[in-house]
Amino acid sequence: MSESFEQLIDPLGRHIEDLRISVTDRCNFRCTYCMPEEGMQWLNRSDVMSFEEIERLARIFVERYGVKGIRLTGGEPTVRAHLPVLISKLSKLVGPDGPVNLAMTTNGATMRLVADPLKQAGLKRVNISLDTLDRAKFHQMTRRDELNNVLDGICAAQEVGFDPVKINAVIERGINDSEILDLATFGREQNVEVRFIEFMPLDAEGHWMNDKVVGQAEILEKISAKYPLEVLPARGAAPADRFRFLDGGLYGEGSPGSMIGVIPTVTKPFCGDCDRVRLTAEGDFRTCLFANNEFDLLTALRSGESDDQVADRIEAAVATKWAGHQIHQVNFTRPSKSMSQLGG
């Protein structure tokens, strides 16, 4: 580990401690809020970061700047060949506060096949996307008939010992908002923490409208009508507001199924506490999911720049991190890329 530890701090005094890395822009789903059904222009393999390049950049963030958490995203990360090899490399990174906390967000469709190799390689936590429990609606939202495989994948993740297993559910009015209570019940029964995510203006078709957003207050009202809730203390820069079931759930206080989370990106932005940055699959560094600029680190690596030179680029980029995404403001501009290309 580097002995010259520095803190990576943006202009508003926020400490950067969380890095999201997209390992591929490809996906085996076509979720309506993420990418178009057809016509995606995939990156050439030569334009995607290699495992060695990902490891090198991650090492700078962890060992030089003390980044505590890395989350792998896509596209769908499990479609990247030999993913456990990358997990093994990253899981060995150690910062000033100890080993990096390595997590992954996945659609879960192939978890039955990959859960154990990923766990053995050093992956600590998984978030699995599940927006509906209805097979027909699942097909409508993902354009794939994979609900049974996702449900089995959740079980597989639990069986190999990922703890906790969290479920990400994007709620869109008129699509799956009638299932909010069903998803909360699923979390209680399956002993997983369901995190409800407000629908964000990153859909590939550009059809997002504010009236499609189901806000945090409405989500909580629907759930608490059957399962009374109380708010849990905030956890630093964590994006989700968390709530516990007053009855303790079916598995007892403190179990994953005894609580839910809501990520209120639109109605209650958490930008003021944001500690995250991200790398796209082609090695572009972004300081915000909604940023309109990005900084090419992969070209810097491939042109032979030293770690110190790359670090200077990272610091210069973080110096541009803005106060927030400005959704609902007149000067808000949608990013030019869809969620799958950004590594959301």
Side-chain angles (χ1 to χ4, degrees):
M1 184 180 72
S2 170
E3 296 180 357
S4 57
F5 165 64
E6 310 167 43
Q7 290 184 319
L8 193 57
I9 304 175
D10 75 7
L12 297 177
R14 296 170 294 195
H15 292 221
I16 304 303
E17 297 184 338
D18 186 281
L19 174 64
R20 308 232 157 176
I21 303 175
S22 172
V23 300
T24 180
D25 64 324
R26 298 173 185 262
C27 188
N28 46 3
F29 284 9
R30 295 292 182 271
C31 296
T32 54
Y33 55 77
C34 190
M35 66 171 69
E37 185 171 8
E38 303 292 346
M40 284 291 295
Q41 298 297 312
W42 307 117
L43 294 170
N44 293 324
R45 183 66 187 87
S46 61
D47 295 329
V48 175
M49 290 189 293
S50 69
F51 287 172
E52 291 73 23
E53 289 162 341
I54 292 173
E55 180 188 18
R56 183 181 169 195
L57 288 174
R59 186 178 300 278
I60 292 172
F61 279 98
V62 173
E63 295 186 355
R64 182 183 292 255
Y65 296 119
V67 162
K68 298 177 181 179
I70 292 177
R71 177 172 294 276
L72 301 183
T73 68
E76 168 50 41
T78 61
V79 305
R80 180 76 185 258
H82 312 297
L83 186 60
V85 174
L86 175 62
I87 297 291
S88 181
K89 292 176 180 292
L90 298 180
S91 67
K92 294 181 175 65
L93 297 179
V94 179
D97 295 319
V100 69
N101 188 340
L102 188 58
M104 181 179 75
T105 297
T106 172
N107 62 34
T110 62
M111 280 299 288
R112 175 58 66 183
L113 300 176
V114 301
D116 188 61
L118 294 177
K119 185 70 166 58
Q120 294 302 318
L123 188 67
K124 300 298 184 184
R125 298 180 293 115
V126 293
N127 287 41
I128 297 176
S129 298
L130 178 67
D131 302 319
T132 175
L133 298 168
D134 179 271
R135 183 176 175 182
K137 194 178 297 181
F138 186 95
H139 190 278
Q140 174 190 353
M141 296 184 74
T142 67
R143 304 183 178 109
R144 297 292 185 270
D145 186 14
E146 294 279 356
L147 176 59
N148 288 341
N149 286 334
V150 174
L151 294 175
D152 185 52
I154 293 170
C155 294
Q158 292 176 304
E159 289 165 10
V160 303
F162 285 116
D163 184 25
V165 174
K166 295 182 180 179
I167 303 302
N168 289 348
V170 175
I171 304 300
E172 184 178 353
R173 190 174 308 281
I175 303 296
N176 63 339
D177 53 319
S178 63
E179 289 190 79
I180 291 172
L181 184 57
D182 293 336
L183 287 163
T185 300
F186 174 82
R188 287 168 58 91
E189 294 176 349
Q190 190 68 29
N191 199 24
V192 292
E193 179 181 335
V194 178
R195 305 197 322 166
F196 298 91
I197 303 173
E198 293 180 350
F199 181 42
M200 295 179 286
L202 287 168
D203 59 309
E205 308 292 350
H207 294 157
W208 182 91
M209 293 185 295
N210 188 56
D211 61 7
K212 292 185 177 182
V213 176
V214 181
Q216 181 184 72
E218 184 176 344
I219 290 170
L220 295 176
E221 182 181 7
K222 288 177 180 288
I223 296 172
S224 60
K226 182 171 183 179
Y227 306 120
L229 297 162
E230 71 173 3
V231 66
L232 288 168
R235 297 178 301 160
D241 292 335
R242 299 166 77 234
F243 305 84
R244 64 175 288 272
F245 295 114
L246 289 182
D247 66 2
L250 302 180
Y251 294 86
E253 294 287 350
S255 64
S258 69
M259 63 193 77
I260 62 161
V262 182
I263 300 180
T265 308
V266 177
T267 65
K268 184 186 169 188
F270 46 87
C271 303
D273 296 319
C274 180
D275 68 345
R276 67 183 54 179
V277 291
R278 60 190 67 234
L279 287 166
T280 67
E282 67 266 48
D284 289 327
F285 180 56
R286 300 177 65 88
T287 61
C288 175
L289 183 61
F290 293 91
N292 291 306
N293 59 336
E294 50 192 18
F295 304 84
D296 183 1
L297 298 185
L298 184 56
T299 297
L301 293 186
R302 293 183 178 178
S303 65
E305 290 193 9
S306 67
D307 285 0
D308 286 343
Q309 290 173 308
V310 173
D312 286 343
R313 291 180 179 274
I314 291 170
E315 291 176 21
V318 169
T320 71
K321 187 172 172 66
W322 56 10
H325 55 56
Q326 301 177 318
I327 296 174
H328 295 321
Q329 297 184 34
V330 67
N331 55 342
F332 173 71
T333 303
R334 292 174 57 106
S336 60
K337 295 181 177 179
S338 66
M339 180 74 85
S340 65
Q341 296 168 312
L342 297 175

